[in-house]
Amino acid sequence: MPELTLKASTETKSIAGFNVLKHEVNEKKSNQNFEAWFTKDVEVTQNALSRFFDKNFGFPVEFVSFMNGLSVKAIVKEIKAGTVPAGSFSASKDFEEISMDQLMQMQGGR
């Protein structure tokens, strides 16, 4: 997990139609410095890329995130609301429910 320290600046701009505020970010473990731009124009649930940032800063619109030991630069191009297709979070028709004991037996009783 990265250890991030953020410091807000006074610099603002627009990204993807959102008003954003620049923050200087330092990742302590690698001593990597980068910029992150946050907006409070929209509230978006944290995801795999934005989860490292405290939501009190707003939603990160341009930032560096971390995944499997790599740093990943992300820039939001668009945010839009939509419905989730039916069945997106259901088990497939060939799913077979088993007990924890059955699972342990499959793993050799670990």
Side-chain angles (χ1 to χ4, degrees), residues 2-110:
E3 293 181 30
L4 304 177
T5 303
L6 283 79
K7 181 180 177 186
S9 75
T10 57
E11 189 175 343
T12 62
K13 66 180 181 178
S14 177
I15 298 176
F18 298 104
N19 296 313
V20 295
L21 175 64
K22 178 181 171 181
H23 289 70
E24 298 294 334
V25 183
N26 174 264
E27 197 292 307
K28 290 181 185 180
K29 292 179 182 177
S30 66
N31 198 32
Q32 180 181 3
N33 295 305
F34 57 91
E35 298 174 356
W37 296 82
F38 293 85
T39 186
K40 292 190 177 180
D41 290 354
V42 65
E43 190 172 321
V44 177
T45 303
Q46 288 184 318
N47 58 52
L49 291 175
S50 66
R51 67 187 172 128
F52 301 112
F53 297 101
D54 186 323
K55 66 180 182 178
N56 291 321
F57 292 107
F59 181 71
V61 178
E62 182 175 333
F63 59 101
V64 173
S65 188
F66 304 89
M67 190 174 290
N68 299 325
L70 300 173
S71 59
V72 178
K73 183 167 184 172
I75 302 172
V76 170
K77 299 283 185 186
E78 178 183 53
I79 297 174
K80 63 182 181 178
T83 58
V84 176
S88 293
F89 297 104
S90 62
S92 65
K93 63 182 182 204
D94 58 343
F95 174 77
E96 181 182 337
E97 189 171 329
I98 62 173
S99 69
M100 182 58 107
D101 288 337
Q102 289 171 312
L103 177 63
M104 296 304 286
Q105 289 173 3
M106 291 171 66
Q107 295 179 349
R110 292 184 204 177

